[in-house]
DNA sequence: ATTCTAACA
DNA sequence: TGTTAGAA
C-alpha cells in the first residue's frame, strides 16, 4: 500500500512529467505531422500555450503533443479553430 | 543549424 | 496555409 512506481520517483527527481516543457517546435512538427506554421497558428488561436525559454523559443510538453494530435484529428473532421477550442475546453 | 515575428509576387 | 526576409 502507498507504493509509488519507479517511474514516479524518476519523474520527481528528474522533472520529466507529461506536463514538463521539453520539445522544440521542430521536434513537435515531426512528432505530430503538423507544420511549424500550423503549430504557431493554433497557439495564436488559443488552442495551446507553450512556455517560452529565455531566448523566446517555444517549449512543448508531452501533453501539448497529445493536444496537437487531437487538434489534427478534429481538423480532419472539418472543424475550425473556434469549434476545436470549445471541444478542448470541455475536455479540461 | 533552428526558431521567431511579420508580411505577401 | 505556404513561404520568405531579417534578427536572435
Amino acid at each position: 500500500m502507498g507504493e509509488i512506481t519507479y517511474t514516479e520517483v524518476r519523474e520527481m527527481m528528474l522533472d520529466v512529467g507529461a506536463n514538463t516543457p521539453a520539445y522544440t517546435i521542430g521536434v513537435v512538427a515531426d512528432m505530430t505531422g503538423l507544420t511549424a506554421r500550423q503549430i504557431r497558428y493554433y497557439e495564436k488561436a488559443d488552442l495551446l500555450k507553450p512556455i517560452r525559454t529565455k531566448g523566446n523559443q517555444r517549449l512543448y510538453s508531452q501533453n501539448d503533443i497529445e493536444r496537437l494530435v487531437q487538434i489534427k484529428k478534429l481538423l480532419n473532421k472539418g472543424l475550425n479553430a473556434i469549434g476545436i477550442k470549445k471541444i478542448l475546453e470541455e475536455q479540461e
Side-chain angles (χ1 to χ4, degrees), chain A residues 28-36 38-39 42 68-69 71-72 75:
Chain A
V28 177
D30 291 333
M31 295 175 86
T32 63
L34 292 167
T35 65
Q38 290 177 300
I39 297 172
Y42 301 147
L68 285 167
V69 171
I71 294 173
K72 188 179 181 182
L75 241 37

Side-chain angles (χ1 to χ4, degrees), chain A residues 13-63:
Chain A
M13 296 181 74
L14 306 178
D15 186 26
V16 288
N19 230 306
T20 304
Y23 312 96
T24 57
I25 198 167
V27 176
V28 177
D30 291 333
M31 295 175 86
T32 63
L34 292 167
T35 65
R37 175 79 165 82
Q38 290 177 300
I39 297 172
R40 296 191 185 102
Y41 175 75
Y42 301 147
E43 177 182 356
K44 181 167 294 181
D46 291 304
L47 271 50
L48 210 60
K49 192 222 79 66
I51 58 83
R52 298 294 186 115
T53 65
K54 293 179 181 179
N56 197 43
Q57 297 213 168
R58 277 169 268 245
L59 282 187
Y60 301 84
S61 67
Q62 201 167 321
N63 285 166

Side-chain angles (χ1 to χ4, degrees), chain A residues 77-89:
Chain A
K77 291 197 172 188
L79 290 101
N80 56 38
I82 299 176
I84 294 176
K85 185 177 181 182
K86 284 182 174 296
I87 293 178
L88 252 37
E89 292 174 335

Side-chain angles (χ1 to χ4, degrees), chain A residues 1-5 8:
Chain A
M1 62 161 79
E3 294 295 312
I4 56 179
T5 68
E8 291 174 323

